[in-house]
């Protein structure tokens, strides 16, 4: 069993629909410890920086405009197998394909506005935690 950390985000659609509490509740029910949490409004430039890896994808303009359209909640989560477990809890990118009881199946409206984000690998988790919590010692 390896204790691991991942970066998670509650996206603007879910914040607007007052789902922060429900999603945080689910995070704790899944056995994660919340190591860090902050609300933040991305500027368009910051959203473009965060999603730089997707810059060549056709949905990049739509994604970065959406992510800078309202506040998000950024979190660092810890538990065994955190990266895979959080991605399982989120469900497939497109809510139409998401498994029952996943956050995206329960709450997401579309493939773009899909309520939550989660890092997909240890290197992206480290990079995304550093982007949103720079210089902070995460105890
Ligand atoms: P995931 O968030 O499940 O890891 P990706 O890394 O493939 O998915 O994409 C990042 C984000 O970009 C998605 O969560 C979604 O908000 C957006 N996105 C992905 N594919 C599309 C698409 N075809 N149209 C619009 N937005 C998309």
């Amino acid at each position: 069993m390896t204790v691991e950390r991942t970066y998670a985000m509650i996206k603007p659609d879910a914040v607007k629909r007052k789902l922060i509490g429900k999603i945080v509740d689910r995070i704790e029910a899944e056995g994660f410890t919340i190591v860090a949490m902050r609300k933040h409004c991305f500027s368009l430039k910051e959203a473009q920086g965060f999603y730089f890896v997707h810059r060549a994808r056709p949905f990049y303009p739509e994604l970065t405009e959406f992510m800078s359209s309202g506040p998000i909640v950024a979190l660092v989560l810890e538990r065994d197998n955190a990266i895979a477990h959080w991605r399982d809890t989120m469900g497939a990118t497109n809510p139409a394909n998401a498994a029952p009881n996943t956050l995206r199946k329960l709450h997401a409206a579309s493939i773009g506005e899909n309520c939550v984000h989660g890092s997909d690998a240890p290197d992206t988790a480290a990079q995304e935690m550093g982007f949103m919590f720079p210089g902070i010692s995460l105890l």
Side-chain angles (χ1 to χ4, degrees), residues 22-34 77:
K22 273 204 174 74
I23 293 172
V24 167
D25 198 33
R26 176 68 178 270
I27 285 169
E28 293 198 311
E30 292 289 338
F32 290 100
T33 296
I34 297 173
L77 307 180

Side-chain angles (χ1 to χ4, degrees), residues 11-67:
K11 293 186 176 183
D13 57 320
V15 173
K16 247 174 235 149
R17 285 158 51 222
K18 307 232 178 267
L19 293 170
I20 295 174
K22 273 204 174 74
I23 293 172
V24 167
D25 198 33
R26 176 68 178 270
I27 285 169
E28 293 198 311
E30 292 289 338
F32 290 100
T33 296
I34 297 173
V35 176
M37 177 157 96
R38 69 182 275 228
K39 200 172 187 189
H40 179 70
C41 285
F42 277 128
S43 66
L44 181 60
K45 273 214 154 60
E46 281 177 320
Q48 288 168 339
F50 185 88
Y51 282 107
F52 190 69
V53 65
H54 290 313
R55 66 195 176 284
R57 311 284 284 277
F59 57 80
Y60 182 68
E62 180 189 332
L63 172 62
T64 53
E65 271 166 42
F66 164 59
M67 290 302 296

Side-chain angles (χ1 to χ4, degrees), residues 11 51 54 57 59 62-63 66 87 90-93 104 111-114 116-118 120:
K11 293 186 176 183
Y51 282 107
H54 290 313
R57 311 284 284 277
F59 57 80
E62 180 189 332
L63 172 62
F66 164 59
R87 288 190 65 87
M90 291 196 305
T93 310
R104 285 169 168 168
I111 190 170
E113 304 204 358
N114 58 5
V116 279
H117 166 88
D120 61 1

Side-chain angles (χ1 to χ4, degrees), residues 59-112:
F59 57 80
Y60 182 68
E62 180 189 332
L63 172 62
T64 53
E65 271 166 42
F66 164 59
M67 290 302 296
S68 56
S69 69
I72 58 94
V73 176
L75 302 111
V76 175
L77 307 180
E78 184 175 273
R79 58 157 278 165
D80 60 290
N81 211 17
I83 294 171
H85 193 91
W86 177 240
R87 288 190 65 87
D88 286 347
T89 306
M90 291 196 305
T93 310
N94 187 344
N97 304 327
N101 201 38
T102 57
L103 289 168
R104 285 169 168 168
K105 179 54 106 189
L106 292 170
H107 302 301
S110 67
I111 190 170

Side-chain angles (χ1 to χ4, degrees), residues 115-126:
C115 83
V116 279
H117 166 88
S119 309
D120 61 1
D123 58 334
T124 49

